[in-house]
Each structure stands twice: as C-alpha cells, then as structure tokens.
Amino acid sequence: MAWGPLIAGLLYVLGMVTTPRTAVIDALPVPPSSVSSEASTTLQSYPDDLGFRFVRVRYEDYGGFRGNAWATDYPTAERNLHEAIDRTTGLYVEGPPIVLTLLDDRIFDHPVLYLTEPGYWRTNDEEVANLRRYLNRGGFLIIDDFHDYGRGQVGPQWNNMYENIKQVFPDLEPVELTAEHPIWSIYYDIDPDAAISTKNGGGRRFGMRFGPLDDIYYGIFDETGRMMIVICYNQDIGDGWEWPGGRNLGEASTVSFQMAINFIIYALTH
C-alpha cells in the first residue's frame, strides 16, 4: 500500500484558513513540534500520493434496537474530525469521509479504518480473511464506542468484540496501552489515565459517567511489535467528535479529537 504521502503537509503547521464549526474545534491547539524527525522523513517520502480520508466500516449486526450500530454518530462525527485534522495538523484531507465494508477491496487504499459499536458487530469468514490481509499489509483499525461496567470488569460488549478479533488473530491478545506508550505523545501529549470518558456505565453504574480510570485503551501488535489495532473500551471518542461543546462533554470532547489525531498520525508513521 502506497500510503506515505497522504500526509505530506503534516509537519510544521503554521496557519490554517478553514473556519471551524465549533469553538471546541477552534480551540484545539497546534503543537509547535508536530512529530519526530524520523516521522518527518516518513511523511515526506511519497509526494505524489493522495490525501487522508476517514473510512468508517459498515458491518452486519444483530438487529433489534441497535440495528445499524455501525452508523452511530454518523456522519457528523467524521465531518467534524476531518475539520479538526485539517485545522490542527496540515494533513491533506482528500474528499469527504466514506463508508466501506470489509469485503470492499478499496479498504486497501486507505491506511486507517474506524469501527464503532463492536459490541453489536457480527462478522463472517470472508470479512475476517480480508481484515486479516488488510492489517497484515500495514493497515490500522480503530475500534471505539463500547462499554460494560468499568475497569476490572468485562461484559457482553467486550466479549463480542473479543470473539470477533480472535477470529482475525487467534494467537494475539490485546495489550493495555499505558501512559508511557508513544501513541500518547506523538502529536498531542495525552494522559490516558486522566482522560475523561464520554460514556455512562452499565450495571450498578447505569446512568453514571465513568471515572477517569474506567476507560481503557488496548493495542494488538504483530510479531514485529507493530500496532495494528487500537481499542477504546468504556469510551466513545466518536461521541466527542459528534458533540463538540454539547451534551456537557466538556474536556471529554477535546481529548476525543486529540486521541483520534494521535491514533491517525501514529498509524501513518509506523
């Protein structure tokens, strides 16, 4: 996959001319030193490539009241994220966000996929095989927007996500991304232990906003140590993109944009 040039303008961003839709997006800072010199070389290696485009995964679910779970926060979330990327990074954004299934070979043209509500995700052998090929060839998957009961407990949503991922990589396990991992500092400095979740808890905590330690972030790595998947559990960063300045999300919305930008830049430079 020739993805490197997607982000030729990411470094040393000075002034953006887009008009943000919300004060939250407008207030996102532009770090003075975008990425490392090693990443700079990577980003500028392929000057003829196309720009970045957000890709949401469309999947079959279990129907019922959570039918079309793949479309949660769509399309407002990614439109706002595109604007935040454009304003704060200088990454060239190529066209509007798009939606693809895992059987669509156009996924191989895009370095990052986003899959939401994996607690309702239902897959099949063909999708599993194509997703495995995509990730083994260098692709990156962001899994977001699912929760159970808080840190120290898992439930049906985690179990459904986990069973699907184990079909893709039976021998790999999610590893918690601690605050020392470079994904938290590649562009924005983020403390995952202090980050605020946009989700409310389930079970005995139903209706109560999760505390800072309840949202947990995992990576799935290949045999070389390359991260292929990032998992946002007890968290919904897509909600933060959809509702900047709304639903009393406050700082949770700001950090949701920052996390997404870090994830994307990390994927494009590793």
Side-chain angles (χ1 to χ4, degrees):
M1 300 179 186
W3 293 336
L6 303 176
I7 41 171
L10 185 150
L11 316 174
Y12 312 120
V13 181
L14 294 177
M16 310 310 297
V17 295
T18 58
T19 302
R21 295 174 186 165
T22 71
V24 171
I25 298 175
D26 191 37
L28 286 169
V30 179
S33 180
S34 304
V35 291
S36 67
S37 58
E38 180 181 356
S40 302
T41 302
T42 303
L43 296 174
Q44 295 178 326
S45 296
Y46 306 96
D48 297 324
D49 202 1
L50 299 177
F52 176 81
R53 203 169 193 182
F54 183 95
V55 180
R56 179 185 289 260
V57 174
R58 180 171 185 164
Y59 60 81
E60 296 294 324
D61 53 41
Y62 294 96
F65 81 102
R66 290 304 298 151
N68 292 323
W70 66 268
T72 301
D73 304 327
Y74 172 84
T76 304
E78 45 260 59
R79 289 175 178 170
N80 287 343
L81 179 60
H82 261 207
E83 185 167 347
I85 292 169
D86 186 48
R87 199 197 73 79
T88 64
T89 69
L91 168 63
Y92 175 57
V93 177
E94 174 74 17
I98 59 174
V99 176
L100 299 174
T101 71
L102 292 174
L103 292 181
D104 192 324
D105 281 344
R106 286 178 292 172
I107 65 173
F108 294 96
D109 296 329
H110 302 278
V112 180
L113 304 178
Y114 176 76
L115 191 150
T116 190
E117 296 272 15
Y120 304 96
W121 175 27
R122 183 172 65 177
T123 191
N124 57 56
D125 292 344
E126 291 80 9
E127 288 181 336
V128 164
N130 218 35
L131 179 57
R132 184 184 304 118
R133 282 192 292 270
Y134 170 82
L135 295 170
N136 282 333
R137 292 183 186 181
F140 190 88
L141 175 65
I142 300 171
I143 295 178
D144 180 40
D145 191 2
F146 69 125
H147 71 287
D148 290 299
Y149 314 117
R151 182 176 286 272
Q153 306 176 74
V154 298
Q157 293 203 20
W158 172 270
N159 292 336
N160 190 73
M161 182 281 303
Y162 182 81
E163 289 169 7
N164 282 317
I165 291 300
K166 291 299 280 186
Q167 292 182 61
V168 181
F169 293 118
D171 299 326
L172 302 181
E173 291 291 334
V175 177
E176 185 170 352
L177 299 173
T178 64
E180 294 74 29
H181 194 279
I183 202 168
W184 301 120
S185 58
I186 191 166
Y187 194 70
Y188 289 106
D189 287 322
I190 299 169
D191 181 356
D193 297 326
I196 303 171
S197 176
T198 66
K199 301 294 277 186
N200 293 327
R204 289 177 297 173
R205 304 182 58 174
F206 182 78
M208 298 175 60
R209 182 70 58 82
F210 278 130
L213 295 180
D214 285 317
D215 49 311
I216 313 172
Y217 307 88
Y218 296 92
I220 294 180
F221 300 82
D222 69 12
E223 65 278 2
T224 71
R226 179 182 65 87
M227 192 189 306
M228 300 180 288
I229 303 173
V230 64
I231 301 168
C232 305
Y233 182 44
N234 296 329
Q235 176 63 290
D236 179 3
I237 61 175
D239 229 21
W241 315 335
E242 184 186 18
W243 297 100
R247 295 182 61 179
N248 296 316
L249 294 182
E251 183 64 24
S253 181
T254 298
V255 78
S256 294
F257 282 109
Q258 293 175 334
M259 283 186 181
I261 290 169
N262 273 29
F263 295 163
I264 290 166
I265 292 176
Y266 186 88
L268 294 175
T269 57
H270 290 74

